[in-house]
Amino acid sequence: MGKLVNIVPPYIHPGYLNFKYSAFEGLANCGLLVGKSHFPLKILHHWAFLYEIPRLFSTKETVMLMFVEPVSITFDTFPYYATHEVIPFIWDCWPCYYDKMEAWFNRHKTRTAVFTSRMEMEEMQKRCPRVKMLWCPEAVDASNYKQGRLLKDRNINLLEFGRSNERVLGKLSIDNHVFTYGDGKFIYSNDELYKAMGDAKITICLPKSMTHPDVAQGVETLTQRYWEAMLSRMVIVGRAPKELIDICGYNPVLELPNDKEQINTFILNIISNIEDYQELVDKNRQTALEKGIWSIRMKGVVEWLENVGYSI
């Protein structure tokens, strides 16, 4: 029998959504044992982000699966990196973090890791060939996202949530155009956002490789925003990451024209013919329910962990 896998709840920042928590719940619902989190007192958070405590001892019985980002890897795995083997479940391993994660893998003798980005995993596999790696694309908890009204009965023409798309698309001239983020902060509560998503005809989804090319450096990956939009039956305009197309078996996104001058007209034409897209958004929701839910995704993770020698 291999080491018994325990999963550790990620840190919850008061007042903020933690996208990693839905992934944790998905694994917990698969029956994995839940270990206790032991994050430091808030006054020590800055220290825990910057420094590691020395190796204290090493247990041979259990391994801790923890939900992490490279920017905060030391904090996210505190204090188990000093006492246990850790399986990191990794988001946002952008190229600027490759060296940092390679060093962390080597320092902590990492044997197994899970990545939400296929391209990031492939690069790290080249750097750390001894580490067993799994690609587990992002998913969501479907319970927050309702199918909403039919497109023809919705009031918001265009809903933009999350990071700004303006530097890619330019300023758009669309009536009933709603932003959920402004002046550096979210201006919608979570409940208001979910309600707006069920009342919006169109949303824009662009990968970070387009909105922040300096960070992504050519890495294109699927984010939960696509699943959220599909579950809410909004028409998605923008660009679909190849990961999404591969998972769905088709492209659920209406690809924007390359000419920025044509984008406004492109969106207005969709609004004018919105009923033509009802079949597409119905299909997208069904696809998301079948292929974009953590409770489904994590069954594959559990099977893989058992196949590489762990005990569940």
Side-chain angles (χ1 to χ4, degrees):
M1 295 288 289
K3 287 186 179 181
L4 182 64
V5 177
N6 284 241
I7 55 173
V8 181
Y11 182 76
I12 300 298
H13 296 267
Y16 291 88
L17 276 177
N18 188 326
F19 57 87
K20 292 177 281 192
Y21 202 82
S22 292
F24 159 75
E25 289 183 318
L27 265 181
N29 290 336
C30 289
L32 272 76
L33 294 176
V34 176
K36 291 184 178 181
S37 57
H38 298 287
F39 293 105
L41 296 173
K42 192 170 183 179
I43 195 172
L44 299 175
H45 280 192
H46 182 69
W47 179 91
F49 268 91
L50 295 179
Y51 305 105
E52 289 185 353
I53 57 178
R55 190 77 177 174
L56 301 176
F57 58 86
S58 181
T59 178
K60 296 181 179 180
E61 289 77 25
T62 57
V63 57
M64 297 305 198
L65 190 151
M66 307 186 77
F67 303 87
V68 310
E69 297 170 78
V71 66
S72 54
I73 183 68
T74 302
F75 179 85
D76 291 339
T77 57
F78 183 93
Y80 287 110
Y81 61 75
T83 58
H84 289 70
E85 177 190 345
V86 171
I87 301 174
F89 195 119
I90 304 165
W91 279 260
D92 296 337
C93 187
W94 302 109
C96 60
Y97 296 118
Y98 287 161
D99 290 345
K100 179 179 181 179
M101 284 307 298
E102 181 181 0
W104 195 90
F105 280 3
N106 291 334
R107 186 163 63 252
H108 294 283
K109 297 180 174 59
T110 302
R111 296 193 305 137
T112 315
V114 182
F115 287 82
T116 61
S117 167
R118 182 167 56 189
M119 293 179 71
E120 292 166 2
M121 183 199 72
E122 290 170 347
E123 174 60 29
M124 290 304 299
Q125 190 70 84
K126 293 176 185 175
R127 291 167 170 252
C128 304
R130 63 176 178 78
V131 180
K132 294 182 177 69
M133 298 183 188
L134 173 70
W135 171 49
C136 177
E138 283 199 40
V140 292
D141 173 3
S143 62
N144 292 322
Y145 307 99
K146 311 306 180 185
Q147 67 178 8
R149 303 174 181 178
L150 295 174
L151 290 174
K152 65 182 180 65
D153 298 325
R154 298 189 176 201
N155 295 305
I156 300 171
N157 282 333
L158 178 61
L159 175 69
E160 290 194 64
F161 60 103
R163 59 179 177 260
S164 173
N165 301 303
E166 186 174 328
R167 66 174 174 176
V168 179
L169 307 182
K171 287 190 176 294
L172 300 174
S173 179
I174 308 289
D175 291 334
N176 298 323
H177 183 181
V178 172
F179 298 87
T180 65
Y181 190 83
D183 297 325
K185 62 182 179 179
F186 290 101
I187 55 179
Y188 272 44
S189 68
N190 294 329
D191 289 340
E192 288 172 334
L193 173 60
Y194 300 143
K195 184 177 179 181
M197 292 171 73
D199 195 30
K201 298 173 183 176
I202 300 171
T203 193
I204 295 170
C205 291
L206 300 172
K208 200 165 188 173
S209 57
M210 294 181 70
T211 60
H212 295 79
D214 52 327
V215 175
Q217 296 182 40
V219 172
E220 185 174 277
T221 189
L222 166 64
T223 60
Q224 67 179 43
R225 180 184 304 186
Y226 290 89
W227 297 126
E228 292 170 337
M230 292 170 70
L231 288 166
S232 303
R233 295 200 304 175
M234 292 182 283
V235 176
I236 309 173
V237 299
R239 181 162 131 191
K242 189 175 185 302
E243 292 177 354
L244 178 63
I245 296 172
D246 290 346
I247 293 170
C248 294
Y250 69 96
N251 190 345
V253 177
L254 301 183
E255 299 281 337
L256 287 169
N258 292 326
D259 186 347
K260 188 182 293 188
E261 300 299 320
Q262 298 177 11
I263 291 174
N264 204 86
T265 301
F266 178 80
I267 295 175
L268 288 173
N269 284 338
I270 297 172
I271 295 170
S272 298
N273 300 280
I274 197 65
E275 291 184 63
D276 294 346
Y277 300 95
Q278 189 64 53
E279 183 177 352
L280 172 63
V281 297
D282 290 345
K283 179 180 180 180
N284 285 351
R285 177 174 169 81
Q286 188 58 39
T287 299
L289 288 170
E290 295 172 357
K291 301 182 177 182
I293 308 304
W294 279 124
S295 59
I296 297 173
R297 181 87 75 244
M298 289 310 189
K299 293 177 182 177
V301 174
V302 170
E303 182 179 348
W304 181 78
L305 288 170
E306 291 177 321
N307 288 339
V308 296
Y310 292 99
S311 177
I312 303 299

